Amino acid sequence: MRSVVRERDDEHDKFDRPKRRTKPRTKDRPNYDDAAIARVVTIDRGRYTVTLDDRTITAMKSRNLGRKGVVVGDEARVVGDTSGDEGSLARIVEVLPRRTVLRRSADDDDPIERIIVANADQLVIVAALADPPPRAGLIDRCLVAAFDAGMEPLVCLTKADLGKPDEILALFEPLGVRVVVTQQGGDLGAVRDVLRDRTSVLVGHSGVGKSTLVNALVPDAHRSVSYVNAVTGRGRHTSTSAISLELPFGGWIIDTPGIRSFGLAHVEIDQLIKAFPDLQDAARDCPRGCLHSATEPECALDVAVGDGTIPAERLVSFRRILASMSTKDDY
């Protein structure tokens, strides 16, 4: 009886599953240095549209990236089917170091930063002169974000046929920020000049004309445009995700969804003042912990204004955008 049982056991042993981890693990990881480098142009429900040479490719994020995010503007190494044929799917296996990162938080009390785009070198703050009226507070906050990211800011005022730009121009002139003015159906030569051969990201409220501007600059963009509510003065969101488009005259433009707020929880005052070399030089004589506001009793910036080292209007403008970092009013 025992011999019969033993024979059955031996017979079943042949079908045992192999033990787990029979293959020794290795610390070696695949090397993707020779993989093609593509540009991420838009993201939709876990699928990434990237451009490689003259091809548009659909890709997914490789598991080895873990929780590392991939955002519009990223330069990434891709492997797999990079033909761009219908139904093909490539894999993003590595994100290259970002040159710049534009980020914001939901509000000033939110510690979570949200990256809007990567590798843009110019932030175009789009504001309408009317319908809806310009909100200087939002423009100031976007300027702070641009300076923090190391990006060059540009203010683009739209709908000049409906409102005068003089007040806004005077507001930002002391800061040395470039401003271009456009109107419906008007000449966009000045806008093309400042966008040419650069990567620019558009940011602004809904209804200010971002998508209209993109459609005029990139004729085959076909971006949906929104209308402005006559009661609230706010635009309706039509763009739901950022998209990067190649400009026919050279460069790239990134259209983003309209925003209602721009939190600056991630920005430090010392980082902001670096964008103003003349003010930074004067601030070296400030006492430790100086916040450079108008209420600081021994701020060296006031001394610099008094002896004519820096213009008074420049300090006033700097302190205005500095104050925007803590202003919780509707902007």
Side-chain angles (χ1 to χ4, degrees), residues 77-213:
R77 297 188 189 276
V78 295
V79 299
D81 190 343
T82 60
S83 65
D85 295 339
E86 185 176 354
S88 63
L89 186 64
R91 286 185 298 126
I92 296 175
V93 293
E94 183 182 347
V95 176
L96 273 60
R98 294 160 175 161
R99 296 184 296 276
T100 63
V101 176
L102 178 64
R103 66 189 79 210
R104 72 182 179 99
S105 51
D107 56 55
D108 293 338
D109 299 321
D110 187 352
I112 300 176
E113 301 172 6
R114 293 165 175 80
I115 298 178
I116 302 175
V117 297
N119 298 324
D121 49 35
Q122 183 169 235
L123 176 60
V124 183
I125 307 161
V126 184
L129 290 167
D131 191 32
R135 292 182 171 89
L138 179 72
I139 299 176
D140 285 340
R141 283 179 163 252
C142 291
L143 287 176
V144 170
F147 294 137
D148 176 70
M151 299 168 58
E152 186 174 347
L154 168 71
V155 177
C156 179
L157 301 176
T158 63
K159 305 183 184 182
D161 48 320
L162 302 179
K164 299 290 185 181
D166 301 8
E167 184 177 342
I168 298 294
L169 290 173
L171 204 58
F172 296 104
E173 183 180 5
L175 293 173
V177 175
R178 290 183 303 171
V179 181
V180 292
V181 182
T182 70
Q183 65 182 42
Q184 184 73 26
D187 179 38
L188 294 178
V191 177
R192 291 187 178 91
D193 288 342
V194 295
L195 298 181
R196 184 174 286 111
D197 299 329
R198 310 192 70 180
T199 298
S200 307
V201 53
L202 304 185
V203 173
H205 283 297
S206 296
V208 296
K210 295 191 307 301
S211 296
T212 299
L213 187 62

Side-chain angles (χ1 to χ4, degrees), residues 207-288:
V208 296
K210 295 191 307 301
S211 296
T212 299
L213 187 62
V214 170
N215 288 337
L217 295 169
V218 187
D220 58 350
H222 305 302
R223 297 292 280 167
S224 299
V225 298
S226 65
Y227 66 89
V228 177
N229 189 296
V231 177
T232 65
R234 297 183 183 274
R236 179 175 61 87
H237 293 289
T238 52
S239 302
T240 57
S241 60
I243 185 170
S244 181
L245 300 164
E246 190 168 9
L247 293 167
F249 47 87
W252 291 78
I253 191 168
I254 304 174
D255 189 18
T256 63
I259 57 175
R260 295 256 172 97
S261 64
F262 207 112
L264 298 171
H266 59 285
V267 179
E268 300 290 339
I269 293 176
D270 289 344
Q271 185 67 20
L272 173 61
I273 202 170
K274 288 180 182 177
F276 303 90
D278 54 338
L279 302 185
Q280 186 181 25
D281 288 343
R284 298 186 196 280
D285 296 327
C286 286
R288 183 183 297 273

